[in-house]
Amino acid sequence: PGNRMLITADSHDAFHPWPEGRGDWVEAVWFGTWVPERAMTIYVYHTFRPALGIYGGGCIIWDSQSNLPWDAPLYQFDVCRPIPGRIDLRNLQLDNGARITSLLEGHEFEVEFRNARAHLCLKFTATTPPDLTERDGTPEFFAGHLDQPGKYEGFVEIEGQRHVIDAFGIRDRSWGPRKIGDDIRMGYAHGAAPDVAFLAFSRPAGAREEIFKGYLSLDGERVPVASGHREIEREGLKLKRIRFALTDKSGRTLEGNGTPLNQFSYMSYPNMLSHHYLMRWELPAGIVYGEEQDLWSLPLWRDHIRETQ
C-alpha cells in the first residue's frame, strides 16, 4: 500500500523509493528552532512508514519549566495515524494539523501547524546547501540523511499567547531502515548564526568524547569536520556545560563552550530515549544558539542510572 500513498521523486525534499514490504523503512522530516529569550524550543517532526501505511509525529514546544512531555506547553506527538491518501512531502498537508511546503528546492520552506490550542507559522531560509550523509558512521539510523542550518521567521501562538520567532535553527531529513538496537549512544550538537554554523556528531565515552563527523561553516563556506572532541561537565544526571574543539578538512578550527537553557526528554522511537537541550554557545564570533541532543537506547540508559546513583 505504501507505494500508492507516498509520491516519490528524485529530490531529497521528496519521499524516496523503498523496498516493497520493508516494514522498518522510515522517512523523517524535522524543523527545529527556538525563542532564546524565553528558553523555548519548537519542533515540527514527522515520520512516515510507507510499508505499514502509517505516520507519526507532530509539534512539540517546551521551555525551561517543562522537562517531560506532560509538562510541555504543546506536545502533540502521534504514533500511528493512517497516511491520508496520496501525499507529496514537497506540498504536504496532514490531518494532524501540519503543513509543509517546499518553496525553493533544498533552500526555502513554509511550515505550519494548527490545532485547538496552538497555531505555528514559520518560514525557513537555508544559510548553506544541505549537508548530505549516506551511511557515514551512523548506519543504524538511516540509509541517507541531511542536515541544514537556516533562518526561521514567523510566530507561534499557544492558548492566546503569541511569540515572535526570529532565530537561526536547523532542519533535517532522513530515510531508510530505522533500527533502534540496545547499544545506541550518540551526541548531536549544533549551532548557527549569520556567519558561522557547526554540527558535531560525537561518540560519548566518559567525560571526553570523540567528534567523528559534522561540518563547520564560516563566512559562507561549509567544510566537513575532520576531527574534534568534547568535554562534558555534569552534576549528577544534569548537564552543566559542554566544551568542544573541532577541525574541518581544510584545517580551520572552532572552539567553544555551551550551557543549557532548557532540558526536555522524550522517546521519539521505541527503545530510544532522547535528552534535548537548547544551548547558549560561546564562540569566538560571539553568542550562538543551538542544541545538544543526547541519545540513548533504553538498556544503556538504565545501566547509566545504576552507575550514577
Side-chain angles (χ1 to χ4, degrees), residues 44-80:
V44 177
Y45 181 63
H46 289 86
T47 59
F48 301 84
R49 294 182 178 268
L52 304 180
I54 59 175
Y55 80 94
C59 184
I60 308 174
I61 299 175
W62 70 89
D63 55 27
S64 59
Q65 305 303 308
S66 49
N67 297 329
L68 295 166
W70 43 89
D71 297 324
L74 182 65
Y75 187 85
Q76 180 173 325
F77 196 81
D78 298 303
V79 177
C80 53

PDB file of all heavy atoms in Angstrom, residues 44-80:
ATOM      1  N   VAL A  44       8.854  20.749  14.728  1.00  0.00           N
ATOM      2  CA  VAL A  44       7.836  20.108  13.903  1.00  0.00           C
ATOM      3  C   VAL A  44       8.523  18.886  13.297  1.00  0.00           C
ATOM      4  O   VAL A  44       9.455  19.027  12.493  1.00  0.00           O
ATOM      5  CB  VAL A  44       7.293  21.053  12.813  1.00  0.00           C
ATOM      6  CG1 VAL A  44       6.290  20.312  11.923  1.00  0.00           C
ATOM      7  CG2 VAL A  44       6.628  22.281  13.447  1.00  0.00           C
ATOM      8  N   TYR A  45       8.098  17.714  13.718  1.00  0.00           N
ATOM      9  CA  TYR A  45       8.816  16.476  13.389  1.00  0.00           C
ATOM     10  C   TYR A  45       7.815  15.401  12.997  1.00  0.00           C
ATOM     11  O   TYR A  45       6.833  15.176  13.714  1.00  0.00           O
ATOM     12  CB  TYR A  45       9.623  16.016  14.614  1.00  0.00           C
ATOM     13  CG  TYR A  45      10.440  14.765  14.407  1.00  0.00           C
ATOM     14  CD1 TYR A  45      11.462  14.746  13.471  1.00  0.00           C
ATOM     15  CD2 TYR A  45      10.200  13.610  15.140  1.00  0.00           C
ATOM     16  CE1 TYR A  45      12.235  13.605  13.279  1.00  0.00           C
ATOM     17  CE2 TYR A  45      10.957  12.462  14.964  1.00  0.00           C
ATOM     18  CZ  TYR A  45      11.976  12.471  14.030  1.00  0.00           C
ATOM     19  OH  TYR A  45      12.726  11.343  13.832  1.00  0.00           O
ATOM     20  N   HIS A  46       8.072  14.753  11.860  1.00  0.00           N
ATOM     21  CA  HIS A  46       7.169  13.699  11.393  1.00  0.00           C
ATOM     22  C   HIS A  46       7.960  12.516  10.851  1.00  0.00           C
ATOM     23  O   HIS A  46       9.034  12.675  10.259  1.00  0.00           O
ATOM     24  CB  HIS A  46       6.236  14.220  10.291  1.00  0.00           C
ATOM     25  CG  HIS A  46       5.194  15.162  10.797  1.00  0.00           C
ATOM     26  ND1 HIS A  46       5.420  16.508  10.932  1.00  0.00           N
ATOM     27  CD2 HIS A  46       3.921  14.931  11.238  1.00  0.00           C
ATOM     28  CE1 HIS A  46       4.327  17.087  11.418  1.00  0.00           C
ATOM     29  NE2 HIS A  46       3.413  16.161  11.611  1.00  0.00           N
ATOM     30  N   THR A  47       7.394  11.332  11.054  1.00  0.00           N
ATOM     31  CA  THR A  47       7.933  10.101  10.483  1.00  0.00           C
ATOM     32  C   THR A  47       6.835   9.401   9.689  1.00  0.00           C
ATOM     33  O   THR A  47       5.656   9.456  10.047  1.00  0.00           O
ATOM     34  CB  THR A  47       8.449   9.159  11.578  1.00  0.00           C
ATOM     35  OG1 THR A  47       7.370   8.840  12.474  1.00  0.00           O
ATOM     36  CG2 THR A  47       9.567   9.802  12.371  1.00  0.00           C
ATOM     37  N   PHE A  48       7.262   8.733   8.622  1.00  0.00           N
ATOM     38  CA  PHE A  48       6.333   8.022   7.740  1.00  0.00           C
ATOM     39  C   PHE A  48       6.863   6.612   7.532  1.00  0.00           C
ATOM     40  O   PHE A  48       8.047   6.414   7.248  1.00  0.00           O
ATOM     41  CB  PHE A  48       6.220   8.731   6.386  1.00  0.00           C
ATOM     42  CG  PHE A  48       5.741  10.154   6.498  1.00  0.00           C
ATOM     43  CD1 PHE A  48       6.646  11.177   6.769  1.00  0.00           C
ATOM     44  CD2 PHE A  48       4.398  10.465   6.345  1.00  0.00           C
ATOM     45  CE1 PHE A  48       6.208  12.491   6.892  1.00  0.00           C
ATOM     46  CE2 PHE A  48       3.959  11.775   6.460  1.00  0.00           C
ATOM     47  CZ  PHE A  48       4.866  12.795   6.734  1.00  0.00           C
ATOM     48  N   ARG A  49       5.964   5.626   7.693  1.00  0.00           N
ATOM     49  CA  ARG A  49       6.307   4.214   7.454  1.00  0.00           C
ATOM     50  C   ARG A  49       5.445   3.724   6.294  1.00  0.00           C
ATOM     51  O   ARG A  49       4.327   3.239   6.499  1.00  0.00           O
ATOM     52  CB  ARG A  49       6.070   3.381   8.716  1.00  0.00           C
ATOM     53  CG  ARG A  49       7.005   3.744   9.861  1.00  0.00           C
ATOM     54  CD  ARG A  49       6.771   2.863  11.080  1.00  0.00           C
ATOM     55  NE  ARG A  49       7.691   3.170  12.155  1.00  0.00           N
ATOM     56  CZ  ARG A  49       8.863   2.583  12.362  1.00  0.00           C
ATOM     57  NH1 ARG A  49       9.268   1.634  11.541  1.00  0.00           N
ATOM     58  NH2 ARG A  49       9.633   2.937  13.370  1.00  0.00           N
ATOM     59  N   PRO A  50       5.958   3.861   5.072  1.00  0.00           N
ATOM     60  CA  PRO A  50       5.111   3.601   3.899  1.00  0.00           C
ATOM     61  C   PRO A  50       4.636   2.169   3.778  1.00  0.00           C
ATOM     62  O   PRO A  50       3.506   1.927   3.363  1.00  0.00           O
ATOM     63  CB  PRO A  50       6.015   3.999   2.729  1.00  0.00           C
ATOM     64  CG  PRO A  50       7.407   3.963   3.263  1.00  0.00           C
ATOM     65  CD  PRO A  50       7.296   4.348   4.694  1.00  0.00           C
ATOM     66  N   ALA A  51       5.473   1.201   4.159  1.00  0.00           N
ATOM     67  CA  ALA A  51       5.049  -0.193   4.031  1.00  0.00           C
ATOM     68  C   ALA A  51       3.894  -0.521   4.970  1.00  0.00           C
ATOM     69  O   ALA A  51       3.101  -1.429   4.690  1.00  0.00           O
ATOM     70  CB  ALA A  51       6.228  -1.131   4.293  1.00  0.00           C
ATOM     71  N   LEU A  52       3.788   0.217   6.075  1.00  0.00           N
ATOM     72  CA  LEU A  52       2.712  -0.010   7.036  1.00  0.00           C
ATOM     73  C   LEU A  52       1.535   0.929   6.828  1.00  0.00           C
ATOM     74  O   LEU A  52       0.479   0.751   7.446  1.00  0.00           O
ATOM     75  CB  LEU A  52       3.241   0.155   8.466  1.00  0.00           C
ATOM     76  CG  LEU A  52       4.440  -0.717   8.859  1.00  0.00           C
ATOM     77  CD1 LEU A  52       4.841  -0.439  10.293  1.00  0.00           C
ATOM     78  CD2 LEU A  52       4.137  -2.192   8.647  1.00  0.00           C
ATOM     79  N   GLY A  53       1.724   1.969   6.000  1.00  0.00           N
ATOM     80  CA  GLY A  53       0.644   2.914   5.723  1.00  0.00           C
ATOM     81  C   GLY A  53       0.334   3.847   6.869  1.00  0.00           C
ATOM     82  O   GLY A  53      -0.793   4.330   6.987  1.00  0.00           O
ATOM     83  N   ILE A  54       1.337   4.141   7.732  1.00  0.00           N
ATOM     84  CA  ILE A  54       1.101   4.989   8.894  1.00  0.00           C
ATOM     85  C   ILE A  54       2.140   6.108   8.962  1.00  0.00           C
ATOM     86  O   ILE A  54       3.220   6.012   8.378  1.00  0.00           O
ATOM     87  CB  ILE A  54       1.118   4.196  10.218  1.00  0.00           C
ATOM     88  CG1 ILE A  54       2.470   3.505  10.401  1.00  0.00           C
ATOM     89  CG2 ILE A  54      -0.019   3.182  10.246  1.00  0.00           C
ATOM     90  CD1 ILE A  54       2.628   2.800  11.741  1.00  0.00           C
ATOM     91  N   TYR A  55       1.774   7.166   9.710  1.00  0.00           N
ATOM     92  CA  TYR A  55       2.737   8.214  10.012  1.00  0.00           C
ATOM     93  C   TYR A  55       2.594   8.608  11.477  1.00  0.00           C
ATOM     94  O   TYR A  55       1.621   8.272  12.144  1.00  0.00           O
ATOM     95  CB  TYR A  55       2.556   9.424   9.087  1.00  0.00           C
ATOM     96  CG  TYR A  55       1.442  10.378   9.443  1.00  0.00           C
ATOM     97  CD1 TYR A  55       1.680  11.510  10.214  1.00  0.00           C
ATOM     98  CD2 TYR A  55       0.132  10.169   8.983  1.00  0.00           C
ATOM     99  CE1 TYR A  55       0.656  12.408  10.523  1.00  0.00           C
ATOM    100  CE2 TYR A  55      -0.887  11.050   9.297  1.00  0.00           C
ATOM    101  CZ  TYR A  55      -0.618  12.176  10.072  1.00  0.00           C
ATOM    102  OH  TYR A  55      -1.631  13.058  10.387  1.00  0.00           O
ATOM    103  N   GLY A  56       3.597   9.334  11.970  1.00  0.00           N
ATOM    104  CA  GLY A  56       3.576   9.796  13.355  1.00  0.00           C
ATOM    105  C   GLY A  56       4.268  11.135  13.472  1.00  0.00           C
ATOM    106  O   GLY A  56       4.765  11.692  12.498  1.00  0.00           O
ATOM    107  N   GLY A  57       4.303  11.655  14.699  1.00  0.00           N
ATOM    108  CA  GLY A  57       4.938  12.937  14.954  1.00  0.00           C
ATOM    109  C   GLY A  57       3.925  14.040  15.126  1.00  0.00           C
ATOM    110  O   GLY A  57       2.752  13.812  15.420  1.00  0.00           O
ATOM    111  N   GLY A  58       4.388  15.274  14.931  1.00  0.00           N
ATOM    112  CA  GLY A  58       3.537  16.442  15.109  1.00  0.00           C
ATOM    113  C   GLY A  58       4.356  17.640  15.506  1.00  0.00           C
ATOM    114  O   GLY A  58       5.398  17.916  14.908  1.00  0.00           O
ATOM    115  N   CYS A  59       3.916  18.327  16.548  1.00  0.00           N
ATOM    116  CA  CYS A  59       4.565  19.552  17.009  1.00  0.00           C
ATOM    117  C   CYS A  59       4.808  19.466  18.515  1.00  0.00           C
ATOM    118  O   CYS A  59       3.913  19.076  19.263  1.00  0.00           O
ATOM    119  CB  CYS A  59       3.698  20.765  16.673  1.00  0.00           C
ATOM    120  SG  CYS A  59       4.447  22.362  17.083  1.00  0.00           S
ATOM    121  N   ILE A  60       6.034  19.815  18.924  1.00  0.00           N
ATOM    122  CA  ILE A  60       6.411  19.819  20.332  1.00  0.00           C
ATOM    123  C   ILE A  60       7.019  21.176  20.658  1.00  0.00           C
ATOM    124  O   ILE A  60       7.897  21.654  19.937  1.00  0.00           O
ATOM    125  CB  ILE A  60       7.432  18.710  20.664  1.00  0.00           C
ATOM    126  CG1 ILE A  60       6.951  17.341  20.168  1.00  0.00           C
ATOM    127  CG2 ILE A  60       7.696  18.661  22.161  1.00  0.00           C
ATOM    128  CD1 ILE A  60       7.986  16.245  20.350  1.00  0.00           C
ATOM    129  N   ILE A  61       6.553  21.798  21.733  1.00  0.00           N
ATOM    130  CA  ILE A  61       7.110  23.064  22.204  1.00  0.00           C
ATOM    131  C   ILE A  61       7.352  22.944  23.702  1.00  0.00           C
ATOM    132  O   ILE A  61       6.458  22.542  24.447  1.00  0.00           O
ATOM    133  CB  ILE A  61       6.160  24.237  21.905  1.00  0.00           C
ATOM    134  CG1 ILE A  61       5.940  24.369  20.391  1.00  0.00           C
ATOM    135  CG2 ILE A  61       6.715  25.540  22.481  1.00  0.00           C
ATOM    136  CD1 ILE A  61       4.919  25.420  20.011  1.00  0.00           C
ATOM    137  N   TRP A  62       8.572  23.255  24.119  1.00  0.00           N
ATOM    138  CA  TRP A  62       8.871  23.209  25.542  1.00  0.00           C
ATOM    139  C   TRP A  62       9.736  24.414  25.939  1.00  0.00           C
ATOM    140  O   TRP A  62      10.247  25.131  25.089  1.00  0.00           O
ATOM    141  CB  TRP A  62       9.543  21.895  25.928  1.00  0.00           C
ATOM    142  CG  TRP A  62      10.945  21.698  25.430  1.00  0.00           C
ATOM    143  CD1 TRP A  62      12.097  22.078  26.050  1.00  0.00           C
ATOM    144  CD2 TRP A  62      11.338  21.042  24.216  1.00  0.00           C
ATOM    145  NE1 TRP A  62      13.194  21.702  25.302  1.00  0.00           N
ATOM    146  CE2 TRP A  62      12.751  21.068  24.176  1.00  0.00           C
ATOM    147  CE3 TRP A  62      10.651  20.430  23.170  1.00  0.00           C
ATOM    148  CZ2 TRP A  62      13.485  20.517  23.120  1.00  0.00           C
ATOM    149  CZ3 TRP A  62      11.361  19.887  22.126  1.00  0.00           C
ATOM    150  CH2 TRP A  62      12.760  19.929  22.104  1.00  0.00           C
ATOM    151  N   ASP A  63       9.869  24.620  27.249  1.00  0.00           N
ATOM    152  CA  ASP A  63      10.666  25.723  27.766  1.00  0.00           C
ATOM    153  C   ASP A  63      11.390  25.258  29.024  1.00  0.00           C
ATOM    154  O   ASP A  63      11.417  24.063  29.327  1.00  0.00           O
ATOM    155  CB  ASP A  63       9.793  26.952  28.029  1.00  0.00           C
ATOM    156  CG  ASP A  63       8.623  26.656  28.961  1.00  0.00           C
ATOM    157  OD1 ASP A  63       8.736  25.721  29.786  1.00  0.00           O
ATOM    158  OD2 ASP A  63       7.599  27.359  28.869  1.00  0.00           O
ATOM    159  N   SER A  64      11.968  26.200  29.765  1.00  0.00           N
ATOM    160  CA  SER A  64      12.781  25.824  30.927  1.00  0.00           C
ATOM    161  C   SER A  64      11.945  25.269  32.076  1.00  0.00           C
ATOM    162  O   SER A  64      12.497  24.702  33.017  1.00  0.00           O
ATOM    163  CB  SER A  64      13.581  27.038  31.418  1.00  0.00           C
ATOM    164  OG  SER A  64      12.718  28.094  31.783  1.00  0.00           O
ATOM    165  N   GLN A  65      10.625  25.413  31.993  1.00  0.00           N
ATOM    166  CA  GLN A  65       9.746  24.909  33.050  1.00  0.00           C
ATOM    167  C   GLN A  65       9.163  23.534  32.732  1.00  0.00           C
ATOM    168  O   GLN A  65       8.386  23.007  33.527  1.00  0.00           O
ATOM    169  CB  GLN A  65       8.599  25.899  33.291  1.00  0.00           C
ATOM    170  CG  GLN A  65       9.050  27.314  33.601  1.00  0.00           C
ATOM    171  CD  GLN A  65       9.973  27.382  34.804  1.00  0.00           C
ATOM    172  OE1 GLN A  65       9.655  26.867  35.865  1.00  0.00           O
ATOM    173  NE2 GLN A  65      11.135  28.008  34.620  1.00  0.00           N
ATOM    174  N   SER A  66       9.505  22.970  31.588  1.00  0.00           N
ATOM    175  CA  SER A  66       8.898  21.694  31.171  1.00  0.00           C
ATOM    176  C   SER A  66       9.976  20.732  30.725  1.00  0.00           C
ATOM    177  O   SER A  66      10.599  20.917  29.682  1.00  0.00           O
ATOM    178  CB  SER A  66       7.890  21.935  30.043  1.00  0.00           C
ATOM    179  OG  SER A  66       8.449  22.727  29.019  1.00  0.00           O
ATOM    180  N   ASN A  67      10.192  19.707  31.531  1.00  0.00           N
ATOM    181  CA  ASN A  67      11.229  18.719  31.236  1.00  0.00           C
ATOM    182  C   ASN A  67      10.690  17.434  30.619  1.00  0.00           C
ATOM    183  O   ASN A  67      11.470  16.637  30.092  1.00  0.00           O
ATOM    184  CB  ASN A  67      11.991  18.355  32.514  1.00  0.00           C
ATOM    185  CG  ASN A  67      12.734  19.538  33.103  1.00  0.00           C
ATOM    186  OD1 ASN A  67      13.163  20.425  32.376  1.00  0.00           O
ATOM    187  ND2 ASN A  67      12.871  19.547  34.413  1.00  0.00           N
ATOM    188  N   LEU A  68       9.365  17.228  30.699  1.00  0.00           N
ATOM    189  CA  LEU A  68       8.754  15.984  30.250  1.00  0.00           C
ATOM    190  C   LEU A  68       7.516  16.292  29.407  1.00  0.00           C
ATOM    191  O   LEU A  68       6.943  17.377  29.514  1.00  0.00           O
ATOM    192  CB  LEU A  68       8.378  15.121  31.449  1.00  0.00           C
ATOM    193  CG  LEU A  68       9.562  14.610  32.285  1.00  0.00           C
ATOM    194  CD1 LEU A  68       9.082  14.064  33.614  1.00  0.00           C
ATOM    195  CD2 LEU A  68      10.354  13.569  31.513  1.00  0.00           C
ATOM    196  N   PRO A  69       7.098  15.346  28.554  1.00  0.00           N
ATOM    197  CA  PRO A  69       6.002  15.627  27.624  1.00  0.00           C
ATOM    198  C   PRO A  69       4.740  16.171  28.279  1.00  0.00           C
ATOM    199  O   PRO A  69       4.115  17.090  27.747  1.00  0.00           O
ATOM    200  CB  PRO A  69       5.747  14.272  26.967  1.00  0.00           C
ATOM    201  CG  PRO A  69       7.082  13.600  26.973  1.00  0.00           C
ATOM    202  CD  PRO A  69       7.701  14.011  28.282  1.00  0.00           C
ATOM    203  N   TRP A  70       4.353  15.630  29.415  1.00  0.00           N
ATOM    204  CA  TRP A  70       3.086  16.043  30.012  1.00  0.00           C
ATOM    205  C   TRP A  70       3.155  17.419  30.666  1.00  0.00           C
ATOM    206  O   TRP A  70       2.133  17.969  31.046  1.00  0.00           O
ATOM    207  CB  TRP A  70       2.604  14.999  31.021  1.00  0.00           C
ATOM    208  CG  TRP A  70       3.676  14.454  31.906  1.00  0.00           C
ATOM    209  CD1 TRP A  70       4.100  14.942  33.116  1.00  0.00           C
ATOM    210  CD2 TRP A  70       4.471  13.300  31.649  1.00  0.00           C
ATOM    211  NE1 TRP A  70       5.097  14.178  33.621  1.00  0.00           N
ATOM    212  CE2 TRP A  70       5.355  13.149  32.747  1.00  0.00           C
ATOM    213  CE3 TRP A  70       4.526  12.365  30.601  1.00  0.00           C
ATOM    214  CZ2 TRP A  70       6.299  12.109  32.817  1.00  0.00           C
ATOM    215  CZ3 TRP A  70       5.445  11.340  30.666  1.00  0.00           C
ATOM    216  CH2 TRP A  70       6.309  11.217  31.768  1.00  0.00           C
ATOM    217  N   ASP A  71       4.365  18.003  30.762  1.00  0.00           N
ATOM    218  CA  ASP A  71       4.503  19.362  31.281  1.00  0.00           C
ATOM    219  C   ASP A  71       4.682  20.400  30.181  1.00  0.00           C
ATOM    220  O   ASP A  71       4.701  21.600  30.475  1.00  0.00           O
ATOM    221  CB  ASP A  71       5.715  19.451  32.224  1.00  0.00           C
ATOM    222  CG  ASP A  71       5.562  18.560  33.447  1.00  0.00           C
ATOM    223  OD1 ASP A  71       4.432  18.441  33.939  1.00  0.00           O
ATOM    224  OD2 ASP A  71       6.572  17.972  33.891  1.00  0.00           O
ATOM    225  N   ALA A  72       4.841  19.962  28.942  1.00  0.00           N
ATOM    226  CA  ALA A  72       5.182  20.872  27.853  1.00  0.00           C
ATOM    227  C   ALA A  72       3.998  21.759  27.478  1.00  0.00           C
ATOM    228  O   ALA A  72       2.846  21.321  27.539  1.00  0.00           O
ATOM    229  CB  ALA A  72       5.638  20.076  26.626  1.00  0.00           C
ATOM    230  N   PRO A  73       4.254  23.018  27.078  1.00  0.00           N
ATOM    231  CA  PRO A  73       3.174  23.878  26.579  1.00  0.00           C
ATOM    232  C   PRO A  73       2.409  23.260  25.414  1.00  0.00           C
ATOM    233  O   PRO A  73       1.205  23.448  25.286  1.00  0.00           O
ATOM    234  CB  PRO A  73       3.903  25.153  26.150  1.00  0.00           C
ATOM    235  CG  PRO A  73       5.133  25.189  27.004  1.00  0.00           C
ATOM    236  CD  PRO A  73       5.525  23.752  27.175  1.00  0.00           C
ATOM    237  N   LEU A  74       3.134  22.490  24.561  1.00  0.00           N
ATOM    238  CA  LEU A  74       2.462  21.785  23.471  1.00  0.00           C
ATOM    239  C   LEU A  74       3.194  20.480  23.205  1.00  0.00           C
ATOM    240  O   LEU A  74       4.411  20.472  23.003  1.00  0.00           O
ATOM    241  CB  LEU A  74       2.441  22.635  22.191  1.00  0.00           C
ATOM    242  CG  LEU A  74       1.720  21.993  20.999  1.00  0.00           C
ATOM    243  CD1 LEU A  74       0.231  21.821  21.291  1.00  0.00           C
ATOM    244  CD2 LEU A  74       1.916  22.817  19.738  1.00  0.00           C
ATOM    245  N   TYR A  75       2.449  19.384  23.230  1.00  0.00           N
ATOM    246  CA  TYR A  75       3.027  18.080  22.903  1.00  0.00           C
ATOM    247  C   TYR A  75       1.966  17.282  22.166  1.00  0.00           C
ATOM    248  O   TYR A  75       1.171  16.572  22.762  1.00  0.00           O
ATOM    249  CB  TYR A  75       3.486  17.337  24.162  1.00  0.00           C
ATOM    250  CG  TYR A  75       4.236  16.058  23.861  1.00  0.00           C
ATOM    251  CD1 TYR A  75       5.601  16.077  23.598  1.00  0.00           C
ATOM    252  CD2 TYR A  75       3.582  14.827  23.840  1.00  0.00           C
ATOM    253  CE1 TYR A  75       6.299  14.917  23.315  1.00  0.00           C
ATOM    254  CE2 TYR A  75       4.269  13.657  23.559  1.00  0.00           C
ATOM    255  CZ  TYR A  75       5.616  13.702  23.298  1.00  0.00           C
ATOM    256  OH  TYR A  75       6.301  12.549  23.022  1.00  0.00           O
ATOM    257  N   GLN A  76       1.929  17.448  20.848  1.00  0.00           N
ATOM    258  CA  GLN A  76       1.094  16.588  20.018  1.00  0.00           C
ATOM    259  C   GLN A  76       2.037  15.728  19.203  1.00  0.00           C
ATOM    260  O   GLN A  76       2.626  16.184  18.214  1.00  0.00           O
ATOM    261  CB  GLN A  76       0.183  17.382  19.085  1.00  0.00           C
ATOM    262  CG  GLN A  76      -0.681  16.432  18.237  1.00  0.00           C
ATOM    263  CD  GLN A  76      -1.734  17.150  17.416  1.00  0.00           C
ATOM    264  OE1 GLN A  76      -2.296  18.147  17.849  1.00  0.00           O
ATOM    265  NE2 GLN A  76      -1.993  16.624  16.216  1.00  0.00           N
ATOM    266  N   PHE A  77       2.222  14.510  19.636  1.00  0.00           N
ATOM    267  CA  PHE A  77       3.168  13.595  19.007  1.00  0.00           C
ATOM    268  C   PHE A  77       2.473  12.259  18.812  1.00  0.00           C
ATOM    269  O   PHE A  77       2.419  11.429  19.705  1.00  0.00           O
ATOM    270  CB  PHE A  77       4.415  13.437  19.877  1.00  0.00           C
ATOM    271  CG  PHE A  77       5.577  12.824  19.150  1.00  0.00           C
ATOM    272  CD1 PHE A  77       6.385  13.593  18.333  1.00  0.00           C
ATOM    273  CD2 PHE A  77       5.859  11.475  19.285  1.00  0.00           C
ATOM    274  CE1 PHE A  77       7.458  13.036  17.659  1.00  0.00           C
ATOM    275  CE2 PHE A  77       6.920  10.895  18.610  1.00  0.00           C
ATOM    276  CZ  PHE A  77       7.730  11.685  17.799  1.00  0.00           C
ATOM    277  N   ASP A  78       1.906  12.096  17.624  1.00  0.00           N
ATOM    278  CA  ASP A  78       1.147  10.886  17.323  1.00  0.00           C
ATOM    279  C   ASP A  78       2.079   9.742  16.947  1.00  0.00           C
ATOM    280  O   ASP A  78       3.245   9.948  16.595  1.00  0.00           O
ATOM    281  CB  ASP A  78       0.178  11.161  16.165  1.00  0.00           C
ATOM    282  CG  ASP A  78      -0.835  12.235  16.528  1.00  0.00           C
ATOM    283  OD1 ASP A  78      -1.546  12.044  17.526  1.00  0.00           O
ATOM    284  OD2 ASP A  78      -0.902  13.249  15.819  1.00  0.00           O
ATOM    285  N   VAL A  79       1.548   8.533  16.999  1.00  0.00           N
ATOM    286  CA  VAL A  79       2.366   7.348  16.767  1.00  0.00           C
ATOM    287  C   VAL A  79       1.986   6.641  15.467  1.00  0.00           C
ATOM    288  O   VAL A  79       2.844   6.342  14.640  1.00  0.00           O
ATOM    289  CB  VAL A  79       2.257   6.369  17.952  1.00  0.00           C
ATOM    290  CG1 VAL A  79       3.060   5.112  17.674  1.00  0.00           C
ATOM    291  CG2 VAL A  79       2.745   7.035  19.238  1.00  0.00           C
ATOM    292  N   CYS A  80       0.726   6.376  15.253  1.00  0.00           N
ATOM    293  CA  CYS A  80       0.348   5.534  14.108  1.00  0.00           C
ATOM    294  C   CYS A  80      -0.954   6.026  13.472  1.00  0.00           C
ATOM    295  O   CYS A  80      -1.957   5.314  13.458  1.00  0.00           O
ATOM    296  CB  CYS A  80       0.260   4.062  14.489  1.00  0.00           C
ATOM    297  SG  CYS A  80      -0.797   3.724  15.899  1.00  0.00           S
TER     298      CYS A  80
END
